[in-house]
Amino acid sequence: MPHSIEKVLVIGASGLVGGHLVRQLLTEGRTVHCLARDATRVQELADAGCEVTTGDILDPAAVATALESVQAVYICIHTLSPQAHSSSGQNFMDVETAGIQNVINGCRDVGIRRLMYVTSIGVATDARSAWVCGRAQIEQRLFATGLDVTVIRPGMIIGRGGTGFDAVARGARGRAAIVLGRGTQRFRTIAVDDMAYYLAGVLDDPRSFGHHYDVGSDDVMTIGEMIDVAAERLGRRRPVKVHLPGRLLRSAAPLIERATSMPRGAMTGLVDSLQVDMSGDPKPIRLILSRTPQTYRQAIEHALR
Ligand SMILES: NC(=O)c1ccc[n+]([C@@H]2O[C@H](COP(=O)([O-])OP(=O)(O)OC[C@H]3O[C@@H](n4cnc5c(N)ncnc54)[C@H](OP(=O)(O)O)[C@@H]3O)[C@@H](O)[C@H]2O)c1
């Protein structure tokens, strides 16, 4: 069956979610374009047929070029990673807000109506974390544009290359596993393939316009529980959990940000987000996309291979 939307732009294709999404869309027979800061990081996708514009979401000209001739846009970025303007002290949420405003402006200029944005379960405008609160504000701003917007919110994405899951896998392979904070935060897990299924699935579906959806399996777990199940799967003993207190991380945040080239505020935003319950409600999206999501155990079978 022909798709009503043939050509899409994925921003964040070098990342875990964006990369899987591009492959899913190509498999469905769509034409896919991506905006990537470093073309070498999307070479495999280019080899698979994805067109590439090199550029930063903060660059309106690059965003405008990437938007040429597409009918829909996915934004799958997070700005905790090093940013071009970090050295000038630009806050990580300012980068995301300004970048997404570039996308909104670019869509309006060329008449693109369909836009999808990936955030996280638990985003809320009254949250303490600048990350969690800032993203809720961006969601609101997007819904207020009048464009056909859908927001997809995962909890913990299970897939090799994901920052969260790689830490789980690393912990499971060692004798001791580092856990940020008290480790009581609960996450709904989702296999990265299911994440790509939901993102691709809403693309042509007008029922999803103007909605945000929590997505995930029926498994809600702490990081420690995820590590222990992964260790069991690997045939290893459960590692000792070494907790890094939130207060310590918060006071060392500026230092950590400088040492790791994280943009300003990113570490504090991350630590403050450890308070957020990320279990959410995955039922509403299942009313329109009915595939049964993989359990955590099924998802790690693939991710740990
Ligand atoms: N992974 C999880 O467990 C998880 C859980 C909940 C929510 N999420 C959400 O899912 C979304 C995707 O996450 P992910 O795990 O796929 O992240 P990821 O693997 O770290 O990828 C992030 C992507 O953002 C791109 N990016 C960052 N800053 C950019 C900029 N200024 N201009 C253009 N691109 C930029 C990165 O490009 P470069 O390659 O150039 O750095 C990369 O492609 C994010 O919204 C994240 O918060 C993820």
Side-chain angles (χ1 to χ4, degrees), residues 14-17 37 41 56-57 77-78 83 118 135 155 157:
S14 58
L16 175 70
V17 171
R37 296 190 290 180
R41 300 199 58 191
D56 196 296
I57 198 171
I77 65 161
H78 76 67
Q83 295 296 325
V118 180
R135 294 188 125 191
I157 303 173

Side-chain angles (χ1 to χ4, degrees), residues 231-281:
E232 181 193 302
R233 164 68 189 80
L234 291 167
R236 301 186 63 93
R237 293 172 74 144
R238 292 178 172 192
V240 176
K241 313 299 180 303
V242 180
H243 293 268
L244 297 184
R247 211 177 311 144
L248 179 78
L249 289 167
R250 202 171 290 114
S251 54
L255 213 76
I256 299 171
E257 285 161 11
R258 270 200 299 278
T260 58
S261 305
M262 272 175 138
R264 190 165 60 82
M267 191 64 205
T268 314
L270 179 66
V271 175
D272 288 343
S273 76
L274 299 175
Q275 316 286 335
V276 177
D277 181 89
M278 293 187 63
S279 49
D281 178 6

